[in-house]
């Protein structure tokens, strides 16, 4: 009898230990936990100041960073689909990875003829896929590019970037390395997978990048990123001058020799036992003397997530 009780106690102890090993604290963001912070800095000779303002309205600026960054997701899917299409019937896709290197940059420059030149890009891509044909043939597809810039014009009235064309030296390199132990069983296998795939992938990757960037950077109304609507007036005043208004006017009246550089990007932030979230950032540099940095801010909470079973749920420590 004692032995039976001991075994029962042991089983109960093991079960509770199992529960506690899965029970955990979860970090999460409540519905009102998202906000954004905007910092304006001005530097000109001996004059220098910075002011910071936090507001949920500023998230409408960082939301543009999230929207633009989604071109990476679009590209990842397009390139994977193209690889799959080209190897269909010849091999199977075993693994796939894709990266965009560099933060997307938009640079506006005033020209002597009164126009505003726009340059979008400063990114490169790298992708790798493993392919396999049963047990007797396998290979790897590597794709990489040099830096891409799309150059066109900026319309300060509509806020649109127009007629963007790629830099002439932009190149996508595709390398297919196939190791077929029994190539004679599938006549032309290496040739079909290697030569045909390299040619078709190169052109499709280029067109995919162009379309993805165009779709994410065109079509914004008014001042780029909606600064005229979302950057609050009266919060960045120094010596009687409202530098939120100065930022807006810089986009609308960019004279010869002046420039504006906008970087839009996201960074991943881990949450305890609950994956991660993307924090949006927009950095603006106006002729190296007026700067705006807007970034998402989050407030997190923690809750206990018990593990439940036949003997109940684990209690919070």
């Amino acid at each position: 009898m004692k032995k039976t009780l001991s075994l029962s106690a042991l089983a109960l102890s093991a079960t509770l230990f199992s529960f506690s090993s899965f029970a955990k604290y979860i970090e999460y963001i409540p519905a009102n936990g998202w906000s954004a912070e905007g910092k304006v800095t001005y530097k000109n000779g001996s004059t220098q100041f910075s002011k910071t303002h936090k507001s949920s309205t500023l998230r409408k600026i960082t939301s543009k960073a999230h929207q633009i960054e989604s071109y990476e997701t679009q590209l990842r899917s397009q390139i994977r689909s193209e690889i799959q299409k080209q190897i269909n019937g010849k091999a199977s896709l075993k693994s796939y990875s894709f990266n965009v290197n560099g933060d997307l940059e938009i640079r506006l420059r005033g020209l002597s003829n009164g126009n505003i030149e726009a340059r979008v890009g400063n990114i490169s891509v790298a992708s790798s896929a493993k392919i396999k044909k049963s047990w007797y043939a396998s290979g790897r597809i590597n794709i990489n590019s040099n830096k891409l810039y799309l150059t066109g014009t900026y319309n300060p009235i509509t806020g649109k970037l127009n007629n963007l064309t790629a830099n002439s030296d932009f190149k996508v390199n595709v390398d297919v390395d196939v190791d077929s132990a029994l190539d004679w069983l599938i006549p032309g296998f290496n040739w079909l997978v290697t030569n045909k795939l390299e040619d078709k992938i190169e052109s499709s990757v280029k067109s995919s990048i162009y379309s993805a960037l165009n779709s994410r950077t065109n079509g914004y109304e008014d001042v780029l990123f909606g600064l005229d609507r979302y950057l609050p007036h009266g919060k960045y005043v120094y010596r009687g001058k409202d530098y939120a208004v100065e930022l807006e006017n810089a986009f609308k009246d960019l004279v010869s020799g002046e420039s504006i550089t906008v970087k839009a990007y996201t960074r991943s932030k881990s949450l305890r036992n609950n994956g991660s979230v993307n924090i949006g950032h927009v950095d603006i540099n106006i002729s190296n003397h007026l700067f705006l940095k807007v970034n998402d801010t989050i407030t997190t909470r923690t809750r206990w997530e018990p593990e439940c079973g036949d003997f109940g749920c684990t209690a919070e420590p």
Side-chain angles (χ1 to χ4, degrees):
M1 184 66 176
K2 289 182 179 180
K3 185 175 182 180
T4 303
L5 288 173
S6 177
L7 288 175
S8 299
L10 183 61
L12 176 60
S13 175
T15 302
L16 291 176
F17 176 78
S18 176
F19 286 171
S20 62
S21 66
F22 288 101
K24 54 187 176 292
Y25 282 102
I26 295 290
E27 186 180 19
Y28 69 100
I29 304 171
N32 61 349
W34 282 94
S35 188
E37 183 178 85
K39 180 181 180 181
V40 170
T41 301
Y42 179 76
K43 298 177 181 179
N44 190 3
S46 60
T47 303
Q48 181 172 332
F49 81 95
S50 289
K51 288 199 172 184
T52 301
H53 174 68
K54 187 174 181 178
S55 168
S56 58
T57 303
L58 290 170
R59 285 210 67 213
K60 294 181 179 180
I61 294 176
T62 56
S63 69
K64 300 294 186 182
H66 289 280
Q67 291 171 18
I68 285 181
E69 281 284 286
S70 65
Y71 79 90
E72 182 174 343
T73 303
Q74 178 184 342
L75 266 178
R76 179 184 293 109
S77 176
Q78 287 178 337
I79 293 176
R80 187 186 192 282
S81 177
E82 185 63 27
I83 292 173
Q84 185 68 67
K85 182 175 71 175
Q86 295 304 325
I87 66 173
N88 189 37
K90 309 177 189 73
S92 59
L93 186 61
K94 304 303 295 181
S95 66
Y96 174 71
S97 65
F98 176 82
N99 290 295
V100 170
N101 301 315
D103 296 326
L104 183 67
E105 179 181 287
I106 302 170
R107 181 176 173 83
L108 308 177
R109 185 168 64 95
L111 304 178
S112 58
N113 62 5
N115 293 332
I116 299 176
E117 179 189 73
R119 191 173 76 164
V120 180
N122 195 36
I123 61 167
S124 60
V125 301
S127 181
S128 178
K130 289 182 180 179
I131 59 176
K132 189 173 183 179
K133 180 71 172 180
S134 190
W135 57 269
Y136 46 77
S138 62
R140 179 180 290 275
I141 300 169
N142 292 311
I143 301 170
N144 62 77
S145 76
N146 59 346
K147 289 285 187 179
L148 169 68
Y149 298 96
L150 301 180
T151 304
T153 58
Y154 173 70
N155 186 326
I157 298 175
T158 64
K160 291 184 178 181
L161 304 167
N162 302 311
N163 304 317
L164 295 174
T165 57
N167 47 308
S168 58
D169 62 343
F170 176 64
K171 183 171 178 57
V172 174
N173 296 306
V174 179
D175 178 60
V176 180
D177 181 21
V178 175
D179 177 21
S180 177
L182 299 175
D183 184 50
W184 56 272
L185 285 180
I186 316 172
F189 175 80
N190 280 328
W191 178 86
L192 284 171
V193 173
T194 303
N195 297 340
K196 185 178 179 182
L197 188 60
E198 286 181 354
D199 294 340
K200 293 200 171 184
I201 285 291
E202 181 177 344
S203 61
S204 69
V205 168
K206 281 188 176 182
S207 62
S208 295
I209 295 174
Y210 300 160
S211 64
L213 285 186
N214 271 292
S215 68
R216 297 304 171 191
T217 55
N218 256 332
Y220 295 132
E221 297 177 353
D222 305 316
V223 176
L224 200 65
F225 286 89
L227 293 178
D228 58 332
R229 290 163 286 168
Y230 308 136
L231 192 62
H233 292 186
K235 301 297 183 181
Y236 301 105
V237 178
Y238 181 73
R239 293 182 179 176
K241 183 180 290 188
D242 193 332
Y243 282 87
V245 176
E246 292 294 305
L247 276 158
E248 295 171 17
N249 291 339
F251 280 87
K252 296 175 181 177
D253 187 24
L254 191 60
V255 299
S256 176
E258 291 187 346
S259 65
I260 299 175
T261 301
V262 181
K263 289 185 178 181
Y265 55 98
T266 60
R267 293 289 184 266
S268 178
K269 179 176 177 60
S270 297
L271 300 177
R272 182 181 177 186
N273 294 320
N274 198 20
S276 62
V277 293
N278 287 326
I279 304 297
H281 298 263
V282 174
D283 297 345
I284 298 175
N285 177 343
I286 299 176
S287 298
N288 289 319
H289 68 265
L290 183 57
F291 306 85
L292 171 66
K293 289 182 175 292
V294 185
N295 58 274
D296 288 331
T297 61
I298 59 173
T299 301
T300 63
R301 294 179 184 172
T302 303
R303 69 170 181 264
W304 173 250
E305 189 171 278
E307 182 75 12
C308 298
D310 294 339
F311 295 96
C313 298
T314 50
E316 183 175 359

